């Protein structure tokens, strides 16, 4: 979900999610995009960005298996 969303952003060159630690690495061209666009994409997918929670609407669209109920 996250990597698919990020691939739609012009300037994102690669992204990788580590399911073991819940972190994502994003390689991007700063002349084409920025951290705010990446943050927005992740939040709109329904996931947290650092300590920033997604909207309840975005979170509700996640499959149950992807919802971190301890955080939300």
């Amino acid at each position: 979900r996250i990597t698919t969303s990020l691939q739609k952003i012009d300037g994102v060159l690669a992204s990788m999610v580590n399911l073991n630690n819940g972190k994502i690495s994003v390689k991007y061209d700063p002349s084409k995009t920025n951290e705010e666009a990446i943050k927005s994409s992740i939040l709109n997918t329904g996931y947290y960005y650092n300590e920033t929670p997604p909207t309840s609407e975005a979170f509700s669209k996640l499959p149950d298996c992807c919802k971190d109920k301890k955080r939300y």
Side-chain angles (χ1 to χ4, degrees):
R1 297 178 143 278
I2 293 175
T3 54
T4 300
S5 176
L6 290 171
Q7 289 172 350
K8 295 176 183 176
I9 300 173
D10 185 36
V12 170
L13 307 173
S15 62
M16 185 173 69
V17 175
N18 182 326
L19 297 176
N20 292 323
N21 65 13
K23 299 202 184 261
I24 184 166
S25 299
V26 181
K27 184 176 181 180
Y28 65 96
D29 179 344
S31 70
K32 293 184 178 180
T33 194
N34 56 45
E35 187 176 340
E36 192 58 37
I38 292 166
K39 175 182 177 180
S40 178
S41 177
I42 292 169
L43 291 172
N44 288 333
T45 306
Y47 293 93
Y48 276 74
Y49 182 88
N50 295 326
E51 295 302 315
T52 304
T55 64
S56 56
E57 180 182 351
F59 182 79
S60 70
K61 293 179 184 177
L62 286 175
D64 286 340
C65 62
C66 297
K67 293 179 180 175
D68 185 352
K69 293 172 180 62
K70 291 178 272 182
R71 291 189 76 176
Y72 206 81

